[in-house]
Amino acid sequence: MSDNSIRTDLFSPTKLGEIELANRIVMAPLTRSRVNREGVPNELNVTYYVQRASAGLIISEATNISAQGRGYAMTPGIWTEEQVAAWKKVTDAVHIAGGTMVMQLWHVGRCSHVDLQPNREPPVAPSAIKADGNIYTENGMQEVSMPRALETDEIPDIIEQYRHAAEYAKRAGFDGVEIHSANNYLLEQFIRDSTNHRTDQYGGSIENRVRLVLEVVEAVTGVWGDGRVGIRLSPVTTEVGNTPLDSDVMATYGYLIQQLNQFKLAYLHFVEGTTRKDRVIPEGIDLDKLRSLFEGAYIGNNDYNLEMAISRRAKGKIDAVAFGRPFISNPDLVDRLRYNIELTSVNNDAYYGNGAKGYTDWPKANS
């Protein structure tokens, strides 16, 4: 094979903070529900990630920081020694294959069910506001449970869950971590005034509503140092839970992003549009203006194709581009994009569960 004639540096090495990438193609975090009930990865997960190690950066599937943070069955965790040891097998194998991998740290907040919570307790959230939709549990799909509002004196424990998870991710051999502050999970539930009706120091004003995110970032960067922590934001998505937008997206996320600059993060990872649906941006919101406030590297995400990635990279609007679903059925996605090889399509049946089927059985173009 020879390089295509398109002029782009998407396939050239780069750095995001202190994280070195072989190319600018990022594998987005993809929940696949292929671990056991204890959230421990297995050899199938090792194979899956190694198959995709040609990505410039692999962002792991969203990984629960605690038993309380869990919102979907058969999703991995990073709070026990057994989980650390299992993830270490994944990262070791990815590194041997020449890959680079960070872990996405996840607390779902209100997007859970009592069957998934310790002692069947209600999920926690900034406010007792129920999300819409259903959750995948060991007993099948069930309606999301009504959450309870976190007490102010419980907030330090949430921050400690993130710090502990960051420490365990480091022990598990990852090259960095990504804080999941998107898709209307716990941290974004605090950010938005649609889901945060608190009256303490974590609610009300923009400064108060972003306080928890900044405290989490401070704790996680305290473990990892400069340039190895990224963050994912999704200012205009209503997913998950059919969640209303913040009443002033530009002011809220603009303030947050400017405050994030003090932490010298590796990158900002944006969901551009509505997760899994479209790239429509509501009137009066300018995501490019928001991302321009960030002083570090920027990863664009959401329904990109190669042409869009090349165009936005040429205009300086992205430093790297994240692909999600295409990586499911194209483990060699980087080569397929680079050499203009037709992509294999995927359907919903392959997304979750089913063991190796639809997970590690996708052929490479040259196999």
Side-chain angles (χ1 to χ4, degrees), residues 175-188:
D175 298 292
V177 293
E178 176 178 290
I179 297 168
H180 196 352
S181 185
N183 295 13
N184 300 302
Y185 294 118
L186 181 67
L187 294 182
E188 191 155 58

Side-chain angles (χ1 to χ4, degrees), residues 85 93 164 281 317:
H164 180 266
I281 310 300
K317 292 186 175 182

Side-chain angles (χ1 to χ4, degrees), residues 54-307:
S54 61
L57 178 66
I58 294 174
I59 305 174
S60 81
E61 60 205 277
T63 303
N64 305 302
I65 62 171
S66 66
Q68 181 197 69
R70 186 167 173 250
Y72 302 84
M74 295 188 290
T75 53
I78 189 65
W79 73 89
T80 71
E81 294 289 343
E82 189 178 6
Q83 291 163 350
V84 169
W87 274 119
K88 187 68 166 59
K89 293 179 180 179
V90 174
T91 60
D92 283 349
V94 166
H95 290 149
I96 290 171
T100 301
M101 188 172 184
V102 300
M103 170 175 277
Q104 189 185 65
L105 304 180
W106 190 30
H107 191 308
V108 302
R110 69 179 188 157
C111 300
S112 187
H113 187 274
V114 293
D115 283 358
L116 297 166
Q117 292 290 305
N119 305 314
R120 301 195 81 251
E121 297 172 357
V124 298
S127 302
I129 302 172
K130 187 175 178 293
D132 290 343
N134 298 316
I135 289 292
Y136 177 49
T137 75
E138 278 89 357
N139 297 311
M141 298 298 291
Q142 300 195 62
E143 186 178 344
V144 175
S145 295
M146 181 70 183
R148 69 170 181 84
L150 283 159
E151 299 292 338
T152 305
D153 62 8
E154 292 180 289
I155 301 294
D157 181 62
I158 297 293
I159 298 167
E160 173 58 22
Q161 289 177 32
Y162 278 97
R163 191 207 62 78
H164 180 266
E167 188 176 86
Y168 271 32
K170 196 170 189 178
R171 288 178 49 199
F174 285 88
D175 298 292
V177 293
E178 176 178 290
I179 297 168
H180 196 352
S181 185
N183 295 13
N184 300 302
Y185 294 118
L186 181 67
L187 294 182
E188 191 155 58
Q189 291 161 25
F190 270 86
I191 294 170
R192 296 187 182 188
D193 55 13
S194 63
T195 46
N196 182 345
H197 295 177
R198 302 176 71 90
T199 57
D200 63 0
Q201 64 265 41
Y202 292 94
S205 68
I206 292 173
E207 292 82 358
N208 283 354
R209 284 184 280 115
V210 305
R211 187 185 306 276
L212 178 58
V213 179
L214 298 177
E215 290 178 345
V216 166
V217 172
E218 182 177 26
V220 172
T221 54
V223 172
W224 278 92
D226 293 348
R228 292 197 175 272
V229 177
I231 191 167
R232 192 184 203 201
L233 302 178
S234 58
V236 299
T237 189
T238 55
E239 300 298 321
V240 294
N242 192 28
T243 304
L245 301 186
D246 185 80
S247 64
D248 192 339
V249 170
M250 294 299 291
T252 297
Y253 288 85
Y255 175 81
L256 171 59
I257 290 167
Q258 289 175 302
Q259 292 301 305
L260 289 173
N261 286 327
Q262 66 185 292
F263 297 105
K264 297 180 174 61
L265 298 180
Y267 61 81
L268 170 63
H269 180 190
F270 249 21
V271 178
E272 300 170 351
T274 301
T275 304
R276 297 191 300 270
K277 287 189 176 181
D278 55 53
R279 291 182 57 84
V280 175
I281 310 300
E283 186 176 353
I285 298 173
D286 186 341
L287 294 188
D288 283 337
K289 184 175 181 179
L290 285 177
R291 63 86 51 207
S292 72
L293 298 174
F294 186 67
E295 296 173 358
Y298 174 74
I299 301 175
N301 182 317
N302 199 28
D303 205 25
Y304 270 79
N305 56 32
L306 181 59
E307 292 71 27

